[in-house]
């Protein structure tokens, strides 16, 4: 019988997209089954103040998901970590791992911020362009974070949406229009959504065909890292080049 893998998601209270896109992606896996279990941190407006207050709720969420006995846990808010400065995904993942270990739990611990870095590394993408929904100051922090990870961000767009519920309603044609406005000359990849709340799953394949580049999002990178963390093959259909076939960096 195919094993069922329990996935824990720590999400902002106003997020509705990651709990749709990540399950939709993993449902395509040919050799595994998944269930999804979320714990929420209160956050409505994507601002530095609300992100810090949201992060302060992390320990409660981790305890709740420990009780569910999850096999992997994804801290599913990219900007919440990147806004805290370079290397924050490593510090957070370490703290969550230690908290779970103290409760006798040892799931794979991942974050959307770390997953995007991992996905870009797996693609060998050192020069990228990206689309974010954030207000410009937060978008700049995301760009600076990736540059600190050795990624050259050649061009980027900020859609200037501060209400997180509204981010979940950004239409795909607006995202594609922003991507078309980017200078992709010399880019190795396009991050079409640097946010787990901005819908983009349906855009990945079409964007790769249009721009002739690997295209990934916070959601596809999260799915890739979850599969890697669980020791499962990472091939998923119609999800972009990151999830299309084993990559050279994979063992």
């Amino acid at each position: 019988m195919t094993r069922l893998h329990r996935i824990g998601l720590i999400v902002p209270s106003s997020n509705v997209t990651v709990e749709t896109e990540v399950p939709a992606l993993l449902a395509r896996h040919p050799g595994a089954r998944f269930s999804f279990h979320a714990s929420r941190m209160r956050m409505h407006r994507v601002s530095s103040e609300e992100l810090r207050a949201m992060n302060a709720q992390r320990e409660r969420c981790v305890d709740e998901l420990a009780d569910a006995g999850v096999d992997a846990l994804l801290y599913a808010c990219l900007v919440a970590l990147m806004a805290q400065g370079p290397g924050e995904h490593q510090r957070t993942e370490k703290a969550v791992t230690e908290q779970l270990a103290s409760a006798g739990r040892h799931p794979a611990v991942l974050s959307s911020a770390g997953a995007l870095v991992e996905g870009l590394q797996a693609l060998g993408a050192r020069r990228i362009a990206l689309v974010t929904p954030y207000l410009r100051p937060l978008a700049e922090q995301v760009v600076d974070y990736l540059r600190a990870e050795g990624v050259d961000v050649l061009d980027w767009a900020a859609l200037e949406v501060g209400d997180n519920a509204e981010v979940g309603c950004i239409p795909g044609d607006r995202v594609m229009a922003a991507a078309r406005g980017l200078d992709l000359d010399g880019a190795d990849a396009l991050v079409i959504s640097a946010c787990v709340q901005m819908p983009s799953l349906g855009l990945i394949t079409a964007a790769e065909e249009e721009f002739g580049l690997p295209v990934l999002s916070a959601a596809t990178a999260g799915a890739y890292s979850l599969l890697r963390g669980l020791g499962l093959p990472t091939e998923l259909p119609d999800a972009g080049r990151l999830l299309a076939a084993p990559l050279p960096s994979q063992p």
Side-chain angles (χ1 to χ4, degrees), residues 171-181 192 203 206-207 210-211:
D173 57 359
R174 184 178 178 192
V175 179
M176 286 295 289
R180 293 184 185 112
I192 203 162
L203 307 177
E210 177 172 342
F211 300 119

Side-chain angles (χ1 to χ4, degrees), residues 215-241:
V215 175
L216 69 163
S217 69
T220 60
Y224 175 82
S225 285
L226 283 166
L227 292 171
R228 291 264 287 162
L230 291 167
L232 295 171
T234 60
E235 293 182 60
L236 299 174
D238 300 319
R241 218 171 300 179

Side-chain angles (χ1 to χ4, degrees), residues 112-123:
S112 294
L116 184 59
V117 172
E118 182 184 22
L120 292 171
Q121 291 172 343
L123 287 167

Side-chain angles (χ1 to χ4, degrees), residues 134-233:
Y134 310 121
L135 300 176
R136 190 171 184 86
L138 283 175
E140 289 173 342
Q141 288 181 287
V142 170
V143 170
D144 289 345
Y145 194 98
L146 292 172
R147 286 175 173 161
E149 292 289 335
V151 179
D152 185 5
V153 181
L154 302 177
D155 200 6
W156 54 278
L159 300 185
E160 299 272 6
V161 180
D163 184 299
N164 199 46
E166 291 182 13
V167 171
C169 300
I170 295 173
D173 57 359
R174 184 178 178 192
V175 179
M176 286 295 289
R180 293 184 185 112
L182 297 173
D183 183 355
L184 301 177
D185 186 35
D188 300 317
L190 167 66
V191 179
I192 203 162
S193 177
C195 175
V196 295
Q197 171 72 332
M198 186 166 74
S200 64
L201 184 55
L203 307 177
I204 301 291
T205 300
E208 286 197 337
E209 292 174 355
E210 177 172 342
F211 300 119
L213 291 171
V215 175
L216 69 163
S217 69
T220 60
Y224 175 82
S225 285
L226 283 166
L227 292 171
R228 291 264 287 162
L230 291 167
L232 295 171

Side-chain angles (χ1 to χ4, degrees), residues 14 43-51 135 161-165:
S14 49
M43 187 273 280
H44 188 75
R45 186 162 184 82
V46 191
S47 66
S48 296
E49 297 75 20
E50 286 207 30
L51 291 172
L135 300 176
V161 180
D163 184 299
N164 199 46

